[in-house]
Amino acid sequence: VVSPVHVGSGVEYCREVDFVVEPRERRTYVLDLEAALELVGAAACRQRIPTAGDLVSLLRQRSGALDQACLHQLPTEVRGDRIRCQVRDGRGCALLPGSTLKGALRTTVLVGLMWDFEHDRLQPVAEQAIEGVFRNLAPKSKFAAQPLEAALLRPDLSSRMDPKQDPMKALRVTDCTFGAHDVTVTSVKVSSPSAVNPRAVKAYSLWIECLRPGSRGEVSLRRDGFLLDAGGARGGRDAGFGKIDLSWERIARDAQGQAARLVELEKQHFS
């Protein structure tokens, strides 16, 4: 992991429920509520439901209890009311899903097909495909890129791809798990297209739980050579994707080019 990575679970930590900010200390404590309640005992909760601040005060009265009950102790003040949680597996380990990794690989392949890294510009076929996307926007935003994917991944098709015609199905990617020490909380600035006008971008800040830079994990990536063989066929359907170069060398080269390009764009954005 070279920069903070957040994959949301749909769950959020709430201020004064799951975390408390101590302005005098300039620190934020994010609690494991189950562990905190077990440590302070039921007697402390009989009068009223304790807030996160109450729990921190009670935990401080017991040696080492605060460290045991905290998911995060941050040397900063969280300035929002919510922290978006990182997705986790059944054991509570932070998770980078294989589907997310495969999505990143899909982006890498698409960018490699549409961008001329040497001259830092779009390929002509990509310019035409992008104009087509904006001329015929799909009813739902999640389908907006389908014509672009079809034009780049399956130029031999005259219509949109169905799932069986997607060459990315030839990649198999496993989930990747991380330990508790690999997770932290940070704030990020993000930009999102407007639902009404995709060309209009709105910027805002979020507090997120994420994988910290320097974290390491293991993942298995497999490439189904049969599906990528132009002569392959299953169930009477031609499953060949010989018109697209989906080699590891191509993916590695495009990933390097895209990473360098994104670094330059980030520098320009924040300078």
Side-chain angles (χ1 to χ4, degrees):
V1 178
V2 296
S3 64
V5 175
H6 169 75
V7 182
S9 64
V11 177
E12 296 177 319
Y13 298 128
C14 298
R15 194 184 188 102
E16 296 303 330
V17 177
D18 302 287
F19 71 92
V20 61
V21 178
E22 297 284 0
R24 289 175 297 179
E25 301 177 23
R26 302 193 68 178
R27 293 183 68 84
T28 300
Y29 299 93
V30 183
L31 298 174
D32 177 337
L33 290 181
E34 187 175 337
L37 291 169
E38 186 175 337
L39 286 165
V40 301
C45 309
R46 285 176 181 166
Q47 299 299 321
R48 65 187 182 94
I49 298 174
T51 65
D54 296 333
L55 290 172
V56 168
S57 298
L58 291 167
L59 289 166
R60 280 182 169 147
Q61 299 172 20
R62 294 164 172 79
S63 178
L66 185 57
D67 291 335
Q68 295 178 49
C70 276
L71 293 170
H72 305 285
Q73 296 189 48
L74 309 171
T76 187
E77 298 178 52
V78 171
R79 300 189 180 278
D81 291 329
R82 298 178 184 273
I83 300 171
R84 300 193 179 195
C85 301
Q86 177 76 15
V87 67
R88 297 173 185 270
D89 65 10
R91 302 169 299 164
C93 296
L95 184 68
L96 194 53
S99 57
T100 298
L101 292 167
K102 189 170 182 177
L105 285 170
R106 174 184 289 275
T107 300
T108 296
V109 171
L110 286 172
V111 170
L113 292 170
M114 67 189 292
W115 197 260
D116 181 348
F117 291 109
E118 183 179 353
H119 300 97
D120 197 27
R121 66 187 182 192
L122 282 171
Q123 302 278 13
V125 64
E127 290 183 344
Q128 297 172 12
I130 290 172
E131 285 301 319
V133 168
F134 282 105
R135 280 198 307 270
N136 304 291
L137 286 176
K140 294 185 178 180
S141 59
K142 67 178 181 179
F143 300 129
Q146 282 187 348
L148 178 62
E149 291 186 356
L152 296 173
L153 294 176
R154 292 304 303 269
D156 53 318
L157 296 178
S158 58
S159 60
R160 293 184 179 184
M161 296 181 297
D162 66 38
K164 294 180 180 178
Q165 297 168 317
D166 185 352
M168 293 300 292
K169 74 177 184 178
L171 289 179
R172 305 284 187 266
V173 187
T174 61
D175 295 340
C176 186
T177 55
F178 296 82
H181 60 281
D182 293 321
V183 186
T184 188
V185 173
T186 189
S187 63
V188 293
K189 294 181 179 179
V190 298
S191 300
S192 178
S194 165
V196 178
N197 180 11
R199 294 182 184 271
V201 177
K202 178 183 177 181
Y204 51 97
S205 296
L206 297 172
W207 284 90
I208 58 169
E209 190 178 44
C210 61
L211 299 172
R212 67 173 74 245
S215 302
R216 292 178 178 270
E218 292 185 4
V219 64
S220 171
L221 291 85
R222 297 184 180 182
R223 177 173 168 271
D224 191 326
F226 179 82
L227 287 177
L228 291 175
D229 179 2
R234 286 183 179 174
R237 176 186 287 272
D238 180 14
F241 303 116
K243 293 183 180 296
I244 177 176
D245 174 12
L246 205 60
S247 65
W248 293 123
E249 293 79 6
R250 171 67 183 267
I251 292 174
R253 184 175 68 250
D254 292 344
Q256 274 193 322
Q258 173 68 343
R261 178 171 171 267
L262 289 176
V263 167
E264 289 303 316
L265 290 173
E266 290 285 316
K267 285 180 180 177
Q268 294 172 23
H269 180 76
F270 291 106
S271 61

